[in-house]
Amino acid sequence: MSAPSPESLQAALATVIDPELRRPITELGMVESVAADDGGRVRAVVRLTVAGCPLRGTITRDAAAALMAVDGVTDVDVDLTVMTAEQRAGLKEMLQGTNPKRGIPFNEESSLTRVYAVASGKGGVGKSSVTVNLACALAAKGLRVGIVDADIYGFSVPALMGITQAPTRVDEMILPPVAHDVKVISIGMFVTGNQPVAWRGPMLHRALEQFLTDVYFGDLDVLFLDLPPGTGDVAISVAQLLPRAEILVVTTPQAAAADVAERAGAIAVQTGQKVAGVVENMSFLTLPDGSTMELFGSGGGEVLATRLSQTVNATVELLGQIPLDVALREGGDIGAPIVLANPESPSAAALLDIAGKLAVRPRGLSGLHLGVTPR
């Protein structure tokens, strides 16, 4: 058997996707060299972005597996090295462009990313669980999805997603961890243990701004922001930093909860944002005999959608009603979103249906620069 060709080895490495940047390592300039001797033994040298890359083991295993699949390869040795400062600068320029003062990419005229700010009137309605499961459901459909955990004081997204690793820093650029094919950033990734975050309003704004400018999400189809409850500093900052973000309001069927949630959606009148819809969580509990129990009353989501339609003078749809489900809570406790771990469950079915409605809503071309000049 003849030794594998250099072209076949390069082609194999082109199938290896960097787990953080989600692009082929060959495209990112991470392959320093690859060669095979006459006996089919291959040696590859792969450049890591930084010395402490937390996913170096994943890159090594994926590269070795890809090379072993090439005809004629009998053994593989993958050595890791680290990019030089010049190589990192070239990588950042390729990813971010040459403008040293990048703004928020989701505000660029050419951006087709749909941004959903998931809000609630008060805590405890399952807003973060809804955010995580909708993001994972859309990623499972093949969309490129990211989450910004904007609930600085009550961050919970990393635990719900099962993320324990810290983001990777490439100089001033931050690479967000990826779980279930969703890119995630949270202040919880930068604090030790269960340390509280005690910041005033300006610091909250700066943290959110840094998440949106310094974190490299790449080209996303959908970005979710998990907002803190209410209409405080972060809600105002989101309106300022992402004026095209649409508000997705989560409530429970309880009338009192719907009253409070109305304020979270009605802020759109002051900020000029759109309301993407209403999600009713904890709608009912299915009992062993098949009957249902409405622990928190009924009708709150429909009432909220009707009120918001009148307030914002546009149709606001009740996108779905999610039943109480022990499996939903259990999945959150272990970092396994129910839409992936138990997609046949009633709550997962409701979440998948809501995600399906969001997935078919195009960003639209209104206000976008198409790069076309009439003649």
Side-chain angles (χ1 to χ4, degrees):
M1 183 180 295
S2 60
S5 67
E7 293 78 14
S8 65
L9 299 177
Q10 284 287 345
L13 290 176
T15 67
V16 179
I17 305 299
D18 181 89
E20 293 175 310
L21 294 171
R22 314 301 283 179
R23 292 169 73 167
I25 61 174
T26 50
E27 183 181 318
L28 297 171
M30 295 175 64
V31 178
E32 179 172 302
S33 63
V34 59
D37 63 18
D38 293 337
R41 292 180 292 273
V42 176
R43 180 176 183 269
V45 179
V46 176
R47 304 183 184 112
L48 300 176
T49 52
V50 292
C53 177
L55 297 175
R56 56 193 299 135
T58 301
I59 296 172
T60 301
R61 288 192 300 270
D62 291 351
L67 291 169
M68 280 300 299
V70 177
D71 289 341
V73 173
T74 58
D75 191 25
V76 173
D77 182 23
V78 178
D79 292 334
L80 300 178
T81 185
V82 181
M83 287 184 174
T84 65
E86 291 77 15
Q87 290 165 342
R88 278 197 300 274
L91 174 64
K92 289 188 294 181
E93 181 176 328
M94 183 189 72
L95 295 173
Q96 297 182 322
T98 57
N99 184 0
K101 293 185 178 180
R102 287 183 71 247
I104 298 173
F106 310 110
N107 288 337
E108 293 177 1
E109 291 183 342
S110 59
S111 175
L112 291 173
T113 304
R114 293 209 73 125
V115 181
Y116 293 111
V118 186
S120 67
K122 62 187 185 67
V125 300
K127 170 181 51 61
S128 297
S129 293
V130 169
T131 301
V132 162
N133 278 280
L134 290 179
C136 290
L138 289 175
K141 290 177 178 291
L143 276 66
R144 296 161 296 186
V145 184
I147 299 177
V148 172
D149 188 354
D151 194 348
I152 305 297
Y153 297 143
F155 56 85
S156 59
V157 172
L160 293 171
M161 294 287 285
I163 297 174
T164 57
Q165 73 183 76
T168 300
R169 290 180 177 270
V170 181
D171 298 332
E172 75 282 358
M173 185 173 68
I174 301 172
L175 306 182
V178 180
H180 313 298
D181 290 326
V182 178
K183 297 181 178 181
V184 181
I185 195 68
S186 171
I187 197 66
M189 299 170 181
F190 299 92
V191 300
T192 303
N194 204 28
Q195 177 184 348
V197 178
W199 290 349
R200 294 187 182 274
M203 294 181 69
L204 299 178
H205 181 91
R206 176 57 188 141
L208 181 59
E209 185 177 33
Q210 187 172 8
F211 283 166
L212 296 171
T213 54
D214 293 352
V215 177
Y216 179 76
F217 283 102
D219 189 11
L220 296 181
D221 295 306
V222 181
L223 175 68
F224 286 95
L225 288 95
D226 184 29
L227 270 57
T231 56
D233 291 315
V234 173
I236 297 170
S237 291
V238 167
Q240 293 174 338
L241 296 170
L242 293 167
R244 294 192 302 207
E246 300 179 56
I247 301 173
L248 189 63
V249 186
V250 179
T251 186
T252 63
Q254 186 178 3
D259 288 341
V260 177
E262 184 180 358
R263 303 169 201 156
I267 195 174
V269 176
Q270 301 177 35
T271 61
Q273 296 170 286
K274 293 181 180 179
V275 179
V278 172
V279 175
E280 184 185 276
N281 195 24
M282 309 179 192
S283 297
F284 56 86
L285 174 66
T286 302
L287 302 176
D289 63 0
S291 62
T292 60
M293 178 184 295
E294 296 172 336
L295 278 75
F296 300 107
S298 64
E302 190 65 55
V303 169
L304 176 58
T306 301
R307 289 181 182 174
L308 286 176
S309 296
Q310 297 169 348
T311 301
V312 303
N313 197 27
T315 300
V316 175
E317 181 185 357
L318 174 60
L319 297 174
Q321 297 170 296
I322 306 167
L324 283 161
D325 194 338
V326 173
L328 176 59
R329 189 269 304 165
E330 292 175 339
D333 287 344
I334 62 174
I338 195 169
V339 294
L340 304 178
N342 191 2
E344 303 301 322
S345 68
S347 59
L351 285 158
L352 289 167
D353 182 64
I354 296 168
K357 294 176 181 178
L358 296 177
V360 298
R361 297 178 62 189
R363 163 65 178 83
L365 300 179
S366 175
L368 296 181
H369 177 67
L370 301 180
V372 176
T373 304
R375 298 181 59 182

